[in-house]
Amino acid sequence: MASEYGYRLKVNEKVDVYSFGVLLLELTTGRVANDGGLEYCLAEWAWRQYQEYGLSIDLLDEDIRDPANIEDAFAVFTLGVICTGGQPSVRPSMKDVLYALLRFEHKSRERSLQHAVSEETSLLES
């Protein structure tokens, strides 16, 4: 739960951004947001791991550690960390989050196309 729920009477759309960030972290890490009881916060855990180890393969859910998807998974994990930042004013808008996800999709398609062209070129050369 976003920290501003505890100390502000009025919350805004940045709470939704925080919640979406938690969802992104759950998807990329394979962890549940409240998996460790009262003392566990997935957003804080992700931030600490990122600060201490950077983008490590160990952060990711084993089911998405395919080398072809690592770059995308790291990008989505990083976006989740950004969305769950402690200061609501620093979190991106949902529109910005959408644009970031669309850029990831576009880059992923470009990489897939480049890979397919490279494979076809290799076959033609043999």
Side-chain angles (χ1 to χ4, degrees):
M1 183 178 298
S3 59
E4 58 267 27
Y5 267 127
Y7 65 87
R8 288 194 178 168
L9 296 175
K10 185 177 179 185
V11 293
N12 61 23
E13 71 278 351
K14 298 295 182 145
V15 170
D16 294 333
V17 173
Y18 182 94
S19 297
F20 189 73
V22 171
L23 176 66
L24 294 177
L25 293 174
E26 286 182 325
L27 291 171
T28 55
T29 65
R31 294 171 177 264
V32 179
N34 60 355
D35 197 22
L38 294 175
E39 298 298 315
Y40 180 79
C41 173
L42 179 59
E44 290 175 13
W45 174 86
W47 176 249
R48 283 193 308 272
Q49 296 298 310
Y50 181 75
Q51 289 291 97
E52 191 168 333
Y53 305 109
L55 292 174
S56 166
I57 190 84
D58 296 328
L59 290 170
L60 301 177
D61 184 347
E62 290 180 12
D63 292 337
I64 63 169
R65 290 183 184 177
D66 179 355
N69 300 322
I70 294 293
E71 190 176 328
D72 293 333
F74 282 154
V76 174
F77 173 85
T78 303
L79 184 59
V81 169
I82 292 168
C83 288
T84 57
Q87 293 287 23
S89 61
V90 179
R91 293 179 201 146
S93 68
M94 281 304 292
K95 186 176 184 178
D96 291 337
V97 172
L98 173 63
Y99 287 146
L101 291 172
L102 290 172
R103 280 193 306 271
F104 299 156
E105 178 188 23
H106 180 71
K107 286 180 183 178
S108 181
R109 284 185 184 176
E110 281 181 359
R111 283 193 305 272
S112 294
L113 181 60
Q114 288 171 350
H115 181 70
V117 168
S118 176
E119 282 184 355
E120 190 169 315
T121 304
S122 295
L123 289 173
L124 291 173
E125 292 175 349
S126 10

